[in-house]
Amino acid sequence: MKNNDNTSAHAVAALLILCLWAGANGEDPYLFFEWKVTYGTLSPLGVPQQVILINDQFPGPNINSTSNNNVVVNVFNHLDEPLLFSWHGIQQRKNSWQDGTPGTMCPIPPGQNFTYHFQVKDQIGSYFYYPSIGFQKAAGGFGGLRVNSRLLIPVPYADPEDDYTVLAGDWFTESHTELQKKLDSGRALGRPVGILINGKSGKVGDANEEPLFTMKPGKTYKYRFCNVGLRNSINFRIQGHGMLLVEMEGSHVVQNTYDAFDLHLGQCVAVLVTADQEPKDYYLVVSSRFTKYFLQATRIIRYTNGKGAASPVLPEAPVGWAWSLNQFRSYRWNLTASAARPNPQGSYHYGSIEITRTLKFVNSAEHIDGKLRYAINGVSHTDPETPLKLAEYYNAADKVFKYDSIPDDPPAKYDKVLIQPNVMNFTFRTFIEIIFENHEKSIQSWHLNGYSFFSVAIEPGRWTPEKRKNYNLLDGISRNTIHVYPKSWAAIMLTFDNAGMWNLRSEIWERRYLGQQLYISVLSPARSLRDEYNLPDNSLLCGIVKDMPKPPPYSIGIW
């Protein structure tokens, strides 16, 4: 669709009709957003640079939704390059058509618009969105996405006075196109320059700094923290205040209080903070973790009617990854809490389900023709011109990619890394165990679209089947991102019951960009609307499917 006034008017009219139709048919509520995506010039770290704005905002606007809401986002691309948005942590049940990755959707061309329509089905929690093509995430374009619990489903804590989103992460002062050119030329990305907290980095002792948030004495607030960076794990702490962990990537957790909290790439958590200290200013501190260099940012949290500046003495960050591993071991799923998910918490006994397939993924780095590539089990992913999901839907997969180009176990040795689309085929509704084994000296972080999985173990050393006796098979947290410490392994378990094409990737963005990712195809043999929605009528088409006849739609089938 061309981006012009008539198109915009037609889009608004269509959305109003959709809203009236939904109300008449008793559907869950609709939320409508219109985004104008542009470039802008800002100086987040004191150096003017090009950033990506949404409705002139950096970071982008928060999406504040409630479980089962239908979210409709009309995106107008005013950039000079293609654009897609992905919704990190939103499961897109039966609907990988809206997942916003290059493997599932054709990008929005410059000067055009596209309307996303998805449902935050049976989810609660703290998430974010981001631009998924190339290195655009390095320019911003990300924002918070909340899914609140419905009133009929209580949460295991009292309603907070207010709800704050904190998007923090490392930041480069070069533009995203310059960073991408570096990687394309075979050069290293280099280290980040600083850390941003909601688009800014404060300076200790700056009397003119505006507060990030305010708190009323005696009241309790929810803070949703997400690591939206490109390279570093971070640690956050609030000067003089404890943080009660209540939610992690969509799961209520056993509530423990922390003075400092490690948050790895792509991860989100929610904590409760009570304003129980002397009324004045305090620093929110975010610093890098597990690196030879040290980056740190601060922002002011102000008590209303408080008097006095924040102390310049900042709480120190923890040292080493043993501290972080022990913190991970303290996380437990709250089995007594209700939640908005298909299987109520406490009723899904994942530890007693028989494993039907085990996969072990090992990441590697190699130079090919003088350029660095990252791989999983010897294959470095590259995105074809035709999105993988569209090729599969149009029965043209054999013209675009091959299934199962990597083995379930890493090969003992191979001649060279293969650069090609990396797609695995998983049988619908099978229960699968995935091991991430990290042979490197740096920390890893992995994310799976379309699902939550049970994080059952992270341990030092190499994985063997005997390690299963150390799994948490009772109350491991259901989440969508898992980190792996240096020279360590992590294990996750899940049922692949969400039909579609789903991205499994490194959250270290240069690794993802240079091939450390794959797609998992989960096909329902029934071709039924019970299991997967049809290709939306407004879907953009590209590559070899652009002029192909549309396949027969899925039918309702036998329920």
Side-chain angles (χ1 to χ4, degrees):
M1 293 183 288
K2 293 291 179 65
N3 178 9
N4 53 46
D5 292 340
N6 288 334
T7 299
S8 181
H10 291 166
V12 170
L15 293 179
L16 288 173
I17 292 172
L18 178 61
C19 187
L20 291 172
W21 181 89
N25 286 273
E27 277 198 68
D28 289 299
Y30 276 69
L31 301 178
F32 297 99
F33 303 90
E34 186 167 297
W35 287 357
K36 180 181 178 182
V37 184
T38 60
Y39 296 122
T41 300
L42 295 175
S43 303
L45 290 176
V47 178
Q49 64 181 118
Q50 184 186 77
V51 299
I52 293 176
L53 306 174
I54 301 175
N55 295 347
D56 296 324
Q57 297 180 47
F58 171 80
N62 271 320
I63 293 178
N64 191 21
S65 64
T66 297
S67 180
N68 285 11
N69 281 173
N70 290 279
V71 179
V72 181
V73 186
N74 191 7
V75 177
F76 288 83
N77 181 11
H78 291 272
L79 308 182
D80 60 3
E81 56 187 330
L83 175 69
L84 276 178
F85 281 103
S86 191
W87 319 93
H88 188 99
I90 300 302
Q91 293 180 14
Q92 305 287 0
R93 299 297 299 180
K94 306 194 298 183
N95 197 22
S96 64
W97 309 114
Q98 305 290 330
D99 200 35
T101 67
T104 59
M105 299 178 67
C106 297
I108 308 168
Q112 298 189 28
N113 73 305
F114 175 78
T115 302
Y116 289 90
H117 176 196
F118 58 89
Q119 188 175 22
V120 287
K121 181 70 174 172
D122 294 321
Q123 286 192 261
I124 55 96
S126 308
Y127 311 98
F128 64 93
Y129 60 84
Y130 67 95
S132 63
I133 292 180
F135 233 70
Q136 290 174 349
K137 188 182 177 189
F142 46 74
L145 201 170
R146 305 173 185 171
V147 184
N148 301 299
S149 183
R150 287 176 288 170
L151 293 178
L152 294 176
I153 304 175
V155 296
Y157 50 87
D159 289 341
E161 179 71 14
D162 211 337
D163 193 326
Y164 297 140
T165 294
V166 181
L167 304 178
D170 52 31
W171 189 257
F172 293 79
T173 52
E174 296 169 278
S175 71
H176 71 285
T177 54
E178 291 171 332
L179 295 173
Q180 189 168 317
K181 287 176 183 176
K182 269 190 177 182
L183 296 177
D184 290 341
S185 69
R187 290 180 293 160
L189 197 61
R191 65 176 60 176
V193 177
I195 288 176
L196 298 186
I197 304 173
N198 284 10
K200 295 181 180 180
S201 182
K203 185 177 180 180
V204 174
D206 183 357
N208 297 317
E209 182 182 342
E210 290 297 317
L212 177 65
F213 301 118
T214 59
M215 298 195 297
K216 298 177 182 177
K219 300 296 185 180
T220 297
Y221 295 78
K222 180 189 282 186
Y223 284 76
R224 302 174 188 261
F225 288 91
C226 293
N227 184 345
V228 296
L230 303 176
R231 171 171 276 196
N232 294 149
S233 296
I234 57 177
N235 180 273
F236 64 87
R237 46 221 184 265
I238 299 177
Q239 198 176 46
H241 292 74
M243 299 175 292
L244 184 69
L245 180 66
V246 294
E247 177 254 320
M248 179 176 289
E249 298 177 31
S251 289
H252 297 311
V253 299
V254 173
Q255 297 175 9
N256 292 315
T257 299
Y258 300 90
D259 294 326
F261 199 95
D262 275 353
L263 197 61
H264 308 281
L265 287 166
Q267 296 181 357
C268 294
V269 297
V271 300
L272 297 182
V273 178
T274 299
D276 54 5
Q277 300 299 307
E278 177 188 351
K280 62 172 191 172
D281 288 354
Y282 294 88
Y283 282 118
L284 163 64
V285 186
V286 178
S287 56
S288 58
R289 288 280 274 139
F290 319 118
T291 57
K292 293 181 180 179
Y293 53 87
F294 182 73
L295 303 173
Q296 185 165 278
T298 60
R299 297 293 300 275
I300 288 176
I301 306 295
R302 176 165 294 167
Y303 278 52
T304 57
N305 300 320
K307 295 181 180 179
S311 168
V313 181
L314 302 181
E316 294 184 0
V319 177
W321 61 267
W323 182 95
S324 188
L325 176 58
N326 286 331
Q327 188 172 73
F328 167 81
R329 288 171 174 164
S330 71
Y331 305 152
R332 291 290 185 270
W333 206 13
N334 187 339
L335 300 182
T336 64
S338 299
R341 57 178 60 255
N343 297 283
Q345 296 187 42
S347 69
Y348 195 168
H349 301 296
Y350 66 92
S352 61
I353 302 175
E354 182 180 355
I355 297 169
T356 56
R357 185 177 177 186
T358 296
L359 302 101
K360 184 165 73 171
F361 293 141
V362 174
N363 45 273
S364 61
E366 293 192 30
H367 283 84
I368 301 174
D369 298 327
K371 295 183 180 181
L372 182 63
R373 294 291 302 187
Y374 292 97
I376 303 172
N377 290 7
V379 175
S380 183
H381 175 79
T382 184
D383 289 315
E385 182 182 356
T386 305
L388 305 166
K389 179 59 181 174
L390 286 176
E392 189 175 68
Y393 185 77
Y394 276 80
N395 297 311
D398 58 339
K399 298 181 175 63
V400 177
F401 66 90
K402 295 179 180 179
Y403 291 105
D404 296 323
S405 55
I406 66 172
D408 286 5
D409 279 298
K413 60 182 297 186
Y414 45 84
D415 294 333
K416 64 177 182 178
V417 166
L418 298 177
I419 302 176
Q420 62 188 38
N422 197 355
V423 183
M424 302 197 78
N425 187 16
F426 283 13
T427 303
F428 189 48
R429 290 181 177 156
T430 51
F431 190 69
I432 291 177
E433 172 188 48
I434 300 177
I435 312 300
F436 299 98
E437 199 169 83
N438 180 11
H439 298 173
E440 302 179 17
K441 296 180 180 179
S442 58
I443 194 169
Q444 295 287 306
S445 186
W446 295 87
H447 173 80
L448 175 61
N449 283 17
Y451 289 90
S452 285
F453 49 71
F454 296 100
S455 53
V456 296
I458 300 178
E459 297 292 340
R462 300 288 179 95
W463 181 87
T464 62
E466 290 75 26
K467 301 291 186 180
R468 292 190 180 114
K469 68 179 182 294
N470 298 324
Y471 284 4
N472 178 357
L473 297 180
L474 175 64
D475 55 1
I477 293 177
S478 176
R479 58 192 304 181
N480 54 66
T481 306
I482 191 71
H483 53 283
V484 195
Y485 296 103
K487 303 291 185 179
S488 301
W489 57 269
I492 65 172
M493 304 169 76
L494 71 158
T495 300
F496 278 88
D497 60 353
N498 190 14
M501 183 75 71
W502 307 106
N503 189 217
L504 174 67
R505 63 179 177 271
S506 170
E507 281 295 304
I508 301 173
W509 222 244
E510 63 188 297
R511 288 176 173 266
R512 170 202 171 274
Y513 179 75
L514 294 177
Q516 198 169 298
Q517 60 172 311
L518 57 81
Y519 282 85
I520 295 173
S521 171
V522 184
L523 289 169
S524 166
R527 286 184 64 88
S528 168
L529 288 175
R530 174 195 62 193
D531 301 325
E532 186 173 18
Y533 298 141
N534 282 307
L535 178 71
D537 290 337
N538 71 329
S539 292
L540 302 172
L541 299 179
C542 55
I544 64 172
V545 305
K546 188 172 185 179
D547 299 315
M548 293 177 66
K550 195 172 183 178
Y554 297 147
S555 60
I556 295 178
I558 299 174
W559 289 65

